[in-house]
Amino acid sequence: MFERHGATTVPSGQQETIITYQLDDRVLVDRFTESSMRHFAESVLRALGANDEEARINADGVVTASLWWHPGQGQGFEKLFRYARRMRNGGIRPDASMRWVREGVATALLDAGKGLGYVAARRAMDRAIEMAGAAGVAMVAVRHSNHFGIAGYHARRAAEAGLIGIAMTNAGAEMAPWGSARPVLGTNPWGIAVPRGDGRDPIILDMALTQSGKGMMRWLQRAGLAMPDHWALTPDGARTTDPQAAMDGPMLPIGDYKGYGLSLVTDILTGVLTGSLFGGQVFQDDLDYDVAHTMIAVSTDAFMPRARFEERLEALIAEVLTAPPIDPDRRVQLPGEAEQRRARRRLQRGVPVDRKTVAGLRELAADLGVAFSLRPVQDAG
Amino acid sequence: MFERHGATTVPSGQQETIITYQLDDRVLVDRFTESSMRHFAESVLRALGANDEEARINADGVVTASLWWHPGQGQGFEKLFRYARRMRNGGIRPDASMRWVREGVATALLDAGKGLGYVAARRAMDRAIEMAGAAGVAMVAVRHSNHFGIAGYHARRAAEAGLIGIAMTNAGAEMAPWGSARPVLGTNPWGIAVPRGDGRDPIILDMALTQSGKGMMRWLQRAGLAMPDHWALTPDGARTTDPQAAMDGPMLPIGDYKGYGLSLVTDILTGVLTGSLFGGQVFQDDLDYDVAHTMIAVSTDAFMPRARFEERLEALIAEVLTAPPIDPDRRVQLPGEAEQRRARRRLQRGVPVDRKTVAGLRELAADLGVAFSLRPVQDAG
């Protein structure tokens, strides 16, 4: 049933890319205009109690995820159901009163008051950007928050302001300490964004600290493909290439024990340092995830003139991008390049939403008394 | 000749550990007192032109490496030969005039003037610690430097001062951009250290951004063992489990494309941002490596009272350390725990130096007119 994947010719990350690229074809989708998606998401969030600013920020987050990634990957419009459920059960407080509990020269701590994670993280990054403008570097953390969405989205905020941004969060336990099979640490994703000159897309690295994710394992399983043996363990801690056998086991960290260390340190820089939950406790109680995030912004101006930084950055990028590809049809790409190119294409041709999600959104809209205002894109032919 | 390693039972990182633990037995070593090694290294460095402070710091670095790691892993006393060669050919300038070229509120840039990397990095971290004491966080970078030794060593400096420390450097090209087989980026190691209360050893994560290293591949090769297929590629870009076939190919990054992104971003935060070399150019010219480092220090006091941070940190550590081990004989460890335990044992029982290195050090001492003052430890039996 499971064959060893073609490991000698297809690097596992490329295999992953190939599979995710096929999602558009495998899932039945409808395509909507980006503006109608933004408007609809805002209406839904407002109906759930979010104020205008919260609705705008959170809608931007799920629209961006839908632009960057594939329907069914779990970060796009399908996330609205979870937000709705938790805004209704009190796990997420709309119109939350967030407050700054500590403020230093180049650091600050925001208490998110169980508010929307996208909103809290955005405010923290904005504060870090402002502080780094004066201090050169700043680190702003958030406690008592919720799922913050895409790490790379928050890092990009800094790049849009011309700074280097780093965003990280803790998350529910899916990774075991190295040598154990008991999940204690989260995938604890990092986003790092670097601004480029002349209106070019920023570099956006967005990565969980696990080698892969359960969603990707499910795709391989359905496709009858084996997975690389460094993705996940069985619940007993055995290596396996069978996605099914590892579905209830721990995800393996990037770089084996290295990713374990990085995830541990991330939990310290977020959960431990802020006063939120950490380890196996965070993200467990549907009524109180109590997540923590940490944002770092770096002003390149503190180190060299802007024009010189941009020139040097482009020299490095040119060296990277001209490295000859192993597969002549797949040139080297920058982190975030595929996502941003995909986003531009979808802005023109419509943003795919899988039909199951669309049906659910119709129900949700009816339930909330909100007009179902997603506008399909006419196929330009 | 090469068998697939027992991937279903032995996680590759543990295999690595087993192999490195065997190095002490495989290599013929002599054991010396730590104090005599420190004194000897200082004498050698002074004879090569280093001033007292430089000799003290750089000796501490190579002694620490000898305490933490295994003879033959390349970072310990055997590094003295390279320092000697390059201090003689002008690649490293002893008694270098280092100068602060930029100073902000929470950032600074040190021009190392081709001086010793250990010394430049130490000064940068000390400055970051000082600045973070006032600003909460600080980032201090170094340009025109040399090999800085152990990333975790520099991070530990912050932990010793009670702060969280991050140290990173760029390095010679050994990693290809994802999808290519041409090395353009370095292993670009990171060290992250977190202080613990009550005199406990800090957490010290020390990791290159490649899955493994050429040295480890050579050990597997000599032992007739296969390597995991995500360690390195052949020069043509094919996956392989044969260490020999990949010896001239690129090392693979941790987490596949994720580690590529992290290495790229590290080169931006070090080489690009400081004015040093980057990409395929850094570390190539024996007369001018032109390496860059970046140090970040975070004061936990900026986020919560010290006692509370320590209490919360110990709660997370307890959760991690009590996760049941897959192999009952191998309990879960913290990053840096094995190294620091090994160091304590060696302080008592002597520090191993392989005999080939000892012979070379005798020659070097004679050549420099320095007494060969390494004092063997009498086996306590």
Side-chain angles (χ1 to χ4, degrees):
Chain A
M1 180 177 175
F2 291 95
E3 292 179 2
R4 177 96 182 108
H5 73 119
T8 51
T9 52
V10 183
S12 56
Q14 292 196 354
Q15 184 185 50
E16 183 167 329
T17 307
I18 292 164
I19 291 164
T20 57
Y21 268 95
Q22 290 171 339
L23 292 185
D24 275 6
D25 300 328
R26 292 188 186 204
V27 179
L28 286 174
V29 299
D30 290 320
R31 291 184 176 269
F32 301 99
T33 65
E34 183 258 4
S35 61
S36 76
M37 286 177 69
R38 196 175 289 274
H39 177 264
F40 177 70
E42 287 180 18
S43 302
V44 165
L45 289 159
R46 273 198 305 267
L48 288 161
N51 63 40
D52 287 354
E53 187 203 3
E54 289 175 337
R56 198 173 58 245
I57 294 172
N58 207 96
D60 186 53
V62 293
V63 168
T64 301
S66 292
L67 286 167
W68 282 3
W69 292 333
H70 295 277
Q73 276 192 286
Q75 295 294 336
F77 255 47
E78 56 270 41
K79 258 296 187 279
L80 284 173
F81 303 120
R82 203 208 288 201
Y83 294 136
R85 180 173 53 75
R86 301 192 64 246
M87 287 169 85
R88 282 164 154 175
N89 74 11
I92 296 174
R93 283 199 194 127
D95 200 22
S97 72
M98 302 188 184
R99 65 197 174 88
W100 294 99
V101 284
R102 283 188 172 246
E103 303 182 76
V105 174
T107 56
L109 176 59
L110 178 67
D111 187 320
K114 296 181 69 172
L116 287 156
Y118 263 114
V119 175
R122 160 76 73 99
R123 287 182 184 160
M125 185 55 97
D126 282 351
R127 188 64 185 272
I129 291 165
E130 184 193 322
M131 286 181 138
V137 63
M139 175 168 145
V140 177
V142 181
R143 73 182 188 199
H144 306 330
S145 185
N146 280 289
H147 185 270
F148 82 173
I150 316 169
Y153 171 86
H154 297 295
R156 184 184 65 167
R157 181 82 175 166
E160 286 170 345
L163 289 85
I164 296 174
I166 304 177
M168 63 185 86
T169 186
N170 63 4
E174 289 191 74
M175 179 200 292
W178 190 248
S180 174
R182 178 189 287 171
V184 170
L185 299 166
T187 59
N188 296 359
W190 284 49
I192 307 182
V194 179
R196 297 173 66 185
D198 295 332
R200 295 184 184 91
D201 287 341
I203 291 173
I204 304 178
L205 174 65
D206 182 274
M207 59 173 202
L209 303 184
T210 44
Q211 189 73 32
S212 189
K214 288 276 157 80
M216 192 55 57
M217 284 165 58
R218 279 189 207 100
W219 276 104
L220 289 175
Q221 189 187 349
R222 279 181 225 136
L225 292 166
M227 64 177 188
D229 72 358
H230 60 292
W231 277 20
L233 299 177
T234 69
D236 296 335
R239 296 245 159 186
T240 180
T241 60
D242 176 354
Q244 173 62 33
M247 208 52 82
D248 296 322
M251 300 303 303
L252 283 168
I254 58 170
D256 299 334
Y257 56 91
K258 298 178 180 184
Y260 149 57
L262 203 50
S263 181
L264 174 63
V265 163
T266 304
D267 207 4
I268 294 168
L269 284 170
T270 55
V272 171
L273 189 57
T274 60
S276 271
L277 290 177
F278 49 79
Q281 280 70 55
V282 65
F283 237 96
Q284 299 306 309
D285 178 357
D286 197 49
L287 302 183
D288 193 6
Y289 279 181
D290 202 359
V291 184
H293 329 300
T294 293
M295 309 286 147
I296 297 171
V298 177
S299 164
T300 61
D301 298 343
F303 295 91
M304 64 172 54
R306 185 65 182 194
R308 188 154 169 252
F309 173 77
E310 288 177 357
E311 185 187 322
R312 292 167 58 81
L313 176 61
E314 292 308 314
L316 176 59
I317 288 173
E319 197 180 348
V320 163
L321 292 184
T322 55
I326 298 169
D327 173 349
D329 294 331
R330 294 184 167 273
R331 68 169 183 81
V332 168
Q333 297 192 51
L334 291 176
E337 186 180 334
E339 287 78 7
Q340 293 173 93
R341 193 173 48 237
R342 199 180 292 141
R344 265 192 300 276
R345 200 171 58 227
R346 289 176 177 176
L347 280 173
Q348 295 189 321
R349 300 184 195 169
V351 186
V353 182
D354 69 279
R355 290 196 180 158
K356 193 175 147 195
T357 297
V358 174
L361 291 173
R362 276 189 196 281
E363 274 181 49
L364 180 63
D367 206 32
L368 291 169
V370 167
F372 181 81
S373 56
L374 291 181
R375 201 153 55 84
V377 169
Q378 307 307 323
D379 202 329
Chain B
M1 179 176 176
F2 292 94
E3 292 180 1
R4 178 95 183 108
H5 72 118
T8 52
T9 54
V10 183
S12 56
Q14 293 196 354
Q15 184 184 49
E16 183 166 331
T17 307
I18 293 165
I19 290 164
T20 57
Y21 269 95
Q22 291 171 339
L23 291 185
D24 275 5
D25 301 327
R26 291 189 186 202
V27 179
L28 286 175
V29 300
D30 291 319
R31 290 181 177 271
F32 301 99
T33 66
E34 182 258 4
S35 61
S36 75
M37 287 177 69
R38 196 175 290 274
H39 177 265
F40 177 70
E42 287 180 18
S43 302
V44 165
L45 289 158
R46 273 198 306 267
L48 288 161
N51 64 39
D52 288 353
E53 187 204 4
E54 289 175 337
R56 198 173 58 244
I57 294 171
N58 207 96
D60 186 52
V62 292
V63 167
T64 301
S66 291
L67 285 167
W68 283 4
W69 291 333
H70 295 277
Q73 276 193 287
Q75 296 294 336
F77 255 47
E78 57 270 41
K79 260 291 187 284
L80 283 173
F81 302 119
R82 201 206 291 199
Y83 293 137
R85 181 173 52 76
R86 301 191 64 248
M87 287 170 85
R88 282 165 154 174
N89 74 9
I92 296 175
R93 284 199 194 127
D95 200 22
S97 73
M98 303 189 185
R99 63 196 176 90
W100 294 99
V101 284
R102 283 190 172 245
E103 303 182 77
V105 175
T107 55
L109 176 59
L110 178 67
D111 188 320
K114 296 181 69 173
L116 286 155
Y118 262 114
V119 175
R122 160 77 72 100
R123 288 182 184 160
M125 184 55 96
D126 282 351
R127 188 65 184 272
I129 291 165
E130 184 193 323
M131 286 180 137
V137 64
M139 175 169 145
V140 177
V142 181
R143 73 183 187 197
H144 306 329
S145 185
N146 280 290
H147 185 271
F148 83 173
I150 317 169
Y153 171 87
H154 297 296
R156 184 183 65 166
R157 181 83 176 165
E160 286 170 344
L163 288 85
I164 297 174
I166 303 176
M168 64 185 85
T169 187
N170 62 4
E174 289 191 74
M175 180 200 292
W178 190 249
S180 174
R182 177 190 288 171
V184 170
L185 298 166
T187 60
N188 297 359
W190 284 48
I192 307 182
V194 179
R196 296 173 69 186
D198 295 332
R200 295 185 184 89
D201 287 340
I203 292 173
I204 304 178
L205 175 64
D206 182 275
M207 58 173 203
L209 302 182
T210 44
Q211 189 72 34
S212 189
K214 288 277 156 80
M216 191 57 55
M217 284 165 58
R218 279 189 208 100
W219 276 103
L220 289 174
Q221 189 188 349
R222 279 181 225 138
L225 292 166
M227 65 177 187
D229 73 357
H230 59 292
W231 277 19
L233 299 177
T234 69
D236 296 335
R239 295 245 161 186
T240 181
T241 60
D242 177 354
Q244 173 62 33
M247 208 53 82
D248 297 322
M251 299 304 303
L252 282 168
I254 59 170
D256 299 332
Y257 55 91
K258 297 178 181 184
Y260 148 57
L262 204 49
S263 181
L264 174 63
V265 163
T266 304
D267 206 5
I268 293 168
L269 284 169
T270 55
V272 171
L273 189 56
T274 61
S276 272
L277 290 177
F278 50 80
Q281 279 71 54
V282 64
F283 238 96
Q284 299 306 310
D285 178 359
D286 197 48
L287 302 183
D288 194 6
Y289 279 1
D290 202 359
V291 184
H293 329 300
T294 292
M295 310 286 148
I296 298 171
V298 178
S299 165
T300 61
D301 298 343
F303 296 91
M304 63 171 54
R306 185 64 180 195
R308 187 154 169 252
F309 172 77
E310 289 178 357
E311 185 188 321
R312 292 166 59 79
L313 177 60
E314 292 308 315
L316 176 59
I317 288 173
E319 197 180 348
V320 164
L321 293 184
T322 56
I326 298 169
D327 174 348
D329 294 331
R330 295 186 166 272
R331 68 169 183 78
V332 167
Q333 296 192 51
L334 293 176
E337 187 181 334
E339 288 77 7
Q340 292 174 94
R341 194 173 48 236
R342 200 180 291 143
R344 265 193 299 279
R345 201 171 57 226
R346 289 176 177 176
L347 279 172
Q348 295 188 321
R349 300 186 195 169
V351 187
V353 183
D354 70 279
R355 291 196 180 158
K356 193 176 147 198
T357 297
V358 174
L361 291 173
R362 277 189 197 280
E363 275 181 48
L364 180 63
D367 206 33
L368 291 169
V370 166
F372 181 80
S373 54
L374 291 181
R375 200 153 56 82
V377 169
Q378 307 307 325
D379 202 328

